[in-house]
Amino acid sequence: MNVLANPHFGSVISESGHAYTWSENARELRLTPWYNDPVSDSSGEAFFIRDEERGHFWSPMPLPCRGATPYVTRHGFGYSVFEHTERGIRSEAWVYVAMDAGVKFTVLKVRNESGRPRSLSATGYMEWVLGDLRSKSAMYVTTEIDPNSGALFARNPYNTDFAGRIAFFDVDDITRSVSGDRTEFIGRNGTLQSPAGMGRVRLSGRVGAALDPCAAIQVPFELADGQECEIIFRLGMGRDADDAGNLVRRFRGSAAARDALETIWQYWKHTLGVVQIETPDQSLNVLANGWLMYQTLACRMWARSGYYQSGGAFGFRDQLQDVMALIHAEPRLVREHLLLCASRQFPEGDVQHWWHPLSGRGVRTHCSDDFLWLPLAVTRYVVSTGDTGVLDEPVHFIVGRPVNPEEDSYYDLPNRSEQTASLYDHCVRAILRGESYGEHGLPLIGSGDWNDGMNIVGENGKGESVWLGFFFYEVLMRFTAIARAHGDMPFAERCQKEAARLRRNIEQNGWDGGWYLRAYFDDGLPLGSASNPECQIDSIPQSWSVLSGAGDAKRASMAMDAVDERLVRRGHALVQLLNPPFDTSDLNPGYIKGYVPGVRENGGQYTHAAVWAAMAFAALGDSRRAWELLAMINPVNHAGSPDEVATYKVEPYVVAADVYALSPHTGRGGWTWYTGSAGWMYRLIMESLLGLRLEIDMLRLEPCLPADWDAFKVHYRYRETIYHIAIYQTHDGNGGMSVTVDGAPRHDRAVHLVDDRREHSVEVRIDTAPG
């Protein structure tokens, strides 16, 4: 599949051409239906081409009405293309979403290669939802032909959260016929594979209320031999009737459609072009130069939807992790999102676990790590960009009742508080909220930490998280520098003292003898211990013992050896999150146990954690194992042969959230696209392995390279200035590093970035001999 989106509108489309489209919120305001069908590729959007002489019709995409000959599907950044030839009629269907408006284009290019004149028609069909579920909203949707623009309009006046919105479906040709009656178009007990409307000469023109609502438009056309024509269907939504009419008029015509596509190409070329790499590993180049960043920005930040999840909501921790990967490509968006997340914080310091735009409805929980991602992300942004002014930005709180002790969470619409505080103060409140410890001196796990599925480890308010101890240590140490720079020395000292105490408690109570524990249950029983019958080891406390710097060096190294020995399954190219999976024992950490053993968090590969393991090996200087793990989790490497494709089963060009570790499905990819592991994998490649570190106007290079690499290149754009960086690896035995910029040596071994709109040449030589 592909995700086509701008910040306020988008569509998910499969290789078969089936799609669903939304405006503003992928769950709350769907224009067309999302079918959560794990078996078949269903859709409420369809297109047809018909031979008017014979009555034979087919789809320009593989579904719903497959033609007699093969199709070619191409997914690109911001667009998808479907190519097909049927009985001498060649078609190309280009599908894309405008960058700055709620409009989706389906541009159908049809060429007659049959050797004789042909009479044809093109038909586009949309089932209206204008809410979350068609079964709930269909009875309220009314359709009409707008007298000013001629477009087919649809509205749902009972959708109170999006009152006044007008959806439209339109095509340029004035000879078209239309229908707003789904029952009429499909036929009683009919299907889109063979709809009744395609057996009629033209559509009825029936629109209005009390219909089974849809939008169908049919355009007849003639083609001489060798002639080509272009039919442009537009699906969109406006804030009201005037806005919808303006969008219809603005984007009519081939020139407007072409301009919209050019704008898409230009945006993605510019955004993805900030960092481009040339390494000996072509699969690495494909991911890092485009698809990982595209997955993070288009899918995670804008669409907040994939084929297997139509979420629409912002997750507090989820998108904060995502934006940390955008620090090079879209720092403006990072800043905006930090302020947005701060506005979803309660005065007590906790936050909404997730919330729906535009309403703000969401859940308040006892989750213990959400709010801590805010100070960590703020620290990364300020250190990377030097934008200390963001710390003083005033942001409102939200107010609502606290979660009761016996509650896991509650869903509500909080009010906006009149109280404001600077972003810095929001971060401070988050950190203070995190200072809640159990009897082992470790952070309380609440209703779950990063692993939401461990939601009842601390259901009675006493369970503790070892991983959260490492993570909180990282937050405290990173934020210490921000507090100092902000002139808040007392809080900087408090952070340091808290971190030191936490570190002592982790070493005293978090070590199991060969690796670190995962958690303690309410009753004090350890989890992630060799003494447990299941989940004897969990990878994330081991990885974060290294990444945070809180773990004792010898113990952290032992812990990562245990990850390698007990969780890395080289024969199947996957890295388990924990092992053995939860199954038959009395251990019950939460809903994670509801997953089949070896699937998702319950002992499958959870790619987030697999990436963290690779980052930890890189931080230890173990380049061999760091690169080996990257090769194992690299999706491209799961499609090297027909057998591997048949095993993996999902897209090899984006990251899957999970990979199954259960026979007979071992190695099968799970939930793709809508996963935060894409942003983390981008950081693994760019930062942990290739060694790029941005510090305001300075680019530091500390790569951890495979022994057999002689060189690689990085093309880095700083604002509008290009730096061509060539990194050479030698094995001379001196262990040194040198940096030259335009022939001049840099003794601080860093590239000082200047926006002079010129191109600069940088040469870096690194000797990686042992010692």
Side-chain angles (χ1 to χ4, degrees):
M1 49 156 283
N2 199 3
V3 176
L4 314 173
N6 64 42
H8 307 292
F9 188 91
S11 185
V12 169
I13 188 165
S14 78
E15 84 286 348
S16 295
H18 272 181
Y20 95 99
T21 304
W22 68 87
S23 178
E24 300 174 79
N25 186 309
R27 182 187 183 277
E28 302 291 283
L29 189 55
R30 296 170 183 146
L31 276 67
T32 57
W34 174 65
Y35 289 96
N36 189 19
D37 191 329
V39 178
S40 64
D41 189 5
S42 304
S43 179
E45 302 184 14
F47 293 89
F48 306 91
I49 297 173
R50 184 172 68 187
D51 183 337
E52 294 296 299
E53 297 171 357
R54 300 178 66 251
H56 171 64
F57 62 90
W58 65 95
S59 292
M61 295 89 156
L63 291 178
C65 184
R66 191 183 302 271
T69 56
Y71 289 76
V72 173
T73 301
R74 294 187 282 118
H75 292 319
F77 303 128
Y79 68 94
S80 290
V81 186
F82 303 86
E83 302 174 358
H84 181 63
T85 300
E86 182 87 2
R87 297 179 182 269
I89 301 301
R90 176 174 175 77
S91 64
E92 274 189 12
W94 287 71
V95 185
Y96 51 93
V97 168
M99 285 302 305
D100 63 344
V103 178
K104 174 184 174 181
F105 295 86
T106 300
V107 179
L108 191 58
K109 301 177 182 180
V110 184
R111 181 177 177 83
N112 181 5
E113 298 177 349
S114 65
R116 61 184 178 86
R118 301 291 288 273
S119 297
L120 305 166
S121 67
T123 302
Y125 168 84
M126 304 289 144
E127 291 181 10
W128 292 124
V129 178
L130 309 191
D132 58 346
L133 296 173
R134 179 176 169 80
S135 58
K136 289 165 55 178
S137 63
M139 67 184 77
Y140 306 117
V141 175
T142 61
T143 57
E144 64 183 273
I145 299 174
D146 178 49
N148 298 315
S149 66
L152 193 55
F153 277 11
R155 70 184 78 219
N156 177 7
Y158 288 86
N159 189 336
T160 55
D161 285 342
F162 299 93
R165 302 296 195 276
I166 300 293
F168 61 85
F169 192 44
D170 187 42
V171 72
D172 291 338
D173 200 299
I174 60 174
T175 61
R176 63 190 174 176
S177 59
V178 304
S179 176
D181 188 343
R182 175 178 175 271
T183 302
E184 175 190 82
F185 183 82
I186 293 181
R188 185 177 181 183
N189 299 324
T191 68
L192 284 176
Q193 186 176 1
S194 182
M198 295 306 296
R200 302 189 181 101
V201 175
R202 56 186 288 113
L203 303 180
S204 68
R206 191 179 184 200
V207 296
L211 301 175
D212 187 1
C214 79
I217 302 179
Q218 189 172 90
V219 178
F221 57 96
E222 306 281 336
L223 288 181
D225 181 36
Q227 187 179 3
E228 181 177 310
C229 74
E230 188 174 77
I231 299 109
I232 304 170
F233 293 92
R234 290 173 299 277
L235 172 68
M237 176 165 275
R239 293 183 304 274
D240 51 34
D242 288 341
D243 187 44
N246 289 335
L247 288 173
V248 168
R249 287 185 288 271
R250 175 186 166 190
F251 288 105
R252 270 191 172 155
S254 295
R258 181 68 189 184
D259 287 347
L261 183 58
E262 292 281 358
T263 301
I264 293 166
W265 286 341
Q266 183 179 3
Y267 174 82
W268 287 113
K269 180 180 179 181
H270 187 267
T271 302
L272 303 179
V274 171
V275 186
Q276 292 284 294
I277 64 173
E278 297 178 33
T279 77
D281 186 341
Q282 291 302 317
S283 70
L284 195 71
N285 301 342
V286 166
L287 288 177
N289 289 338
W291 284 104
L292 290 178
M293 185 54 55
Y294 182 79
Q295 183 177 358
T296 301
L297 184 50
C299 179
R300 290 285 296 179
M301 293 303 301
W302 290 349
R304 300 183 302 284
S305 178
Y307 191 88
Y308 298 107
Q309 182 185 17
S310 173
F314 282 108
F316 195 91
R317 84 159 77 92
D318 303 73
Q319 274 74 29
L320 276 174
Q321 291 177 80
D322 297 328
V323 295
M324 289 197 287
L326 303 178
I327 205 70
H328 302 284
E330 276 283 18
R332 171 192 55 80
L333 192 152
V334 180
R335 189 184 206 272
E336 291 174 359
H337 194 71
L338 295 175
L339 297 173
L340 174 65
C341 285
S343 75
R344 311 315 300 175
Q345 185 183 41
F346 297 94
E348 295 86 349
D350 63 322
V351 300
Q352 285 183 301
H353 187 59
W354 54 259
W355 74 93
H356 275 297
L358 300 170
S359 70
R361 286 189 180 88
V363 291
R364 191 175 189 179
T365 72
H366 290 298
C367 189
S368 54
D369 74 308
D370 278 340
F371 43 86
L372 293 175
W373 288 98
L374 179 63
L376 185 64
V378 167
T379 299
R380 175 171 169 83
Y381 172 75
V382 172
V383 169
S384 298
T385 66
D387 179 12
T388 57
V390 73
L391 298 172
D392 298 318
E393 289 282 354
V395 185
H396 286 268
F397 291 98
I398 52 175
V399 290
R401 70 166 178 85
V403 185
N404 295 324
E406 69 277 8
E407 287 181 304
D408 177 75
S409 63
Y410 72 87
Y411 178 74
D412 198 9
L413 176 61
N415 295 314
R416 187 189 191 199
S417 172
E418 292 300 316
Q419 180 184 2
T420 64
S422 67
L423 178 60
Y424 176 85
D425 289 335
H426 279 267
C427 293
V428 168
R429 292 193 191 209
I431 290 172
L432 294 177
R433 177 77 177 194
E435 295 178 357
S436 300
Y437 304 106
E439 65 179 41
H440 297 93
L442 301 171
L444 294 174
I445 194 171
S447 57
D449 53 18
W450 171 84
N451 192 333
D452 294 319
M454 293 185 173
N455 59 307
I456 60 175
V457 170
E459 64 176 338
N460 296 322
K462 296 180 180 180
E464 300 163 89
S465 169
V466 177
W467 170 80
L468 186 57
F470 287 122
F471 179 66
F472 193 24
Y473 178 91
E474 167 83 350
V475 173
L476 290 165
M477 294 303 292
R478 295 281 184 182
F479 199 76
T480 296
I482 297 298
R484 281 204 190 102
H486 201 63
D488 190 354
M489 293 306 297
F491 194 72
E493 292 173 6
R494 176 175 181 149
C495 287
Q496 283 194 305
K497 289 179 181 177
E498 197 71 20
R501 182 161 69 96
L502 191 53
R503 186 178 191 180
R504 287 193 300 271
N505 292 339
I506 291 171
E507 293 303 329
Q508 182 176 339
N509 298 311
W511 181 250
D512 192 52
W515 54 84
Y516 287 99
L517 298 171
R518 176 62 176 88
Y520 284 98
F521 285 93
D522 285 315
D523 61 2
L525 180 72
L527 178 63
S529 167
S531 64
N532 294 137
E534 296 165 352
C535 188
Q536 294 174 346
I537 181 172
D538 187 303
S539 77
I540 66 171
Q542 324 315 325
S543 300
W544 278 84
S545 73
V546 176
L547 297 176
S548 67
D552 171 81
K554 184 177 179 180
R555 285 180 170 182
S557 180
M558 288 176 61
M560 290 309 298
D561 286 341
V563 169
D564 188 24
E565 179 183 345
R566 299 173 67 100
L567 297 176
V568 177
R569 296 176 58 177
R570 288 174 172 81
H572 297 289
L574 58 85
V575 184
Q576 290 178 271
L577 173 61
L578 56 85
N579 199 48
F582 297 102
D583 190 8
T584 59
S585 78
D586 292 334
L587 290 175
N588 185 15
Y591 74 75
I592 183 176
K593 197 170 182 176
Y595 291 123
V596 174
V599 172
R600 290 186 65 79
E601 291 101 322
N602 192 16
Q605 173 179 296
Y606 210 69
T607 309
H608 253 93
V611 169
W612 286 343
M615 294 175 93
F617 280 124
L620 289 172
D622 191 340
S623 65
R624 180 187 64 82
R625 287 194 286 189
W627 282 92
E628 183 184 20
L629 260 62
L630 174 61
M632 291 167 63
I633 61 181
N634 181 336
V636 180
N637 294 338
H638 289 264
S641 69
D643 286 345
E644 289 174 338
V645 170
T647 298
Y648 192 54
K649 295 185 184 293
V650 296
E651 302 96 325
Y653 47 91
V654 292
V655 183
D658 59 299
V659 180
Y660 299 170
L662 171 71
S663 180
H665 305 295
T666 303
R668 177 172 181 167
W671 184 334
T672 61
W673 276 94
Y674 195 54
T675 165
S677 53
W680 279 109
M681 187 177 289
Y682 184 81
R683 293 184 63 186
L684 165 64
I685 295 168
M686 293 299 187
E687 299 172 19
S688 300
L689 298 176
L690 301 186
L692 300 183
R693 295 263 196 303
L694 178 63
E695 297 176 6
I696 308 177
D697 58 354
M698 192 157 54
L699 192 65
R700 296 197 178 276
L701 298 147
E702 300 172 0
C704 177
L705 301 179
D708 59 350
W709 277 23
D710 295 323
F712 73 97
K713 292 181 179 179
V714 177
H715 305 283
Y716 191 91
R717 191 180 73 241
Y718 176 68
R719 297 174 185 168
E720 298 304 321
T721 299
I722 307 294
Y723 287 82
H724 302 286
I725 306 169
I727 297 94
Y728 300 95
Q729 179 174 231
T730 60
H731 306 283
D732 298 332
N734 57 35
M737 175 178 175
S738 64
V739 178
T740 61
V741 180
D742 297 329
R746 298 294 316 182
H747 299 295
D748 56 3
R749 303 197 303 184
V751 180
H752 291 255
L753 304 171
V754 179
D755 186 23
D756 57 11
R757 297 178 177 262
R758 295 167 49 207
E759 295 193 19
H760 296 273
S761 177
V762 179
E763 185 176 291
V764 179
R765 294 190 175 274
I766 303 168
D767 188 86
T768 57

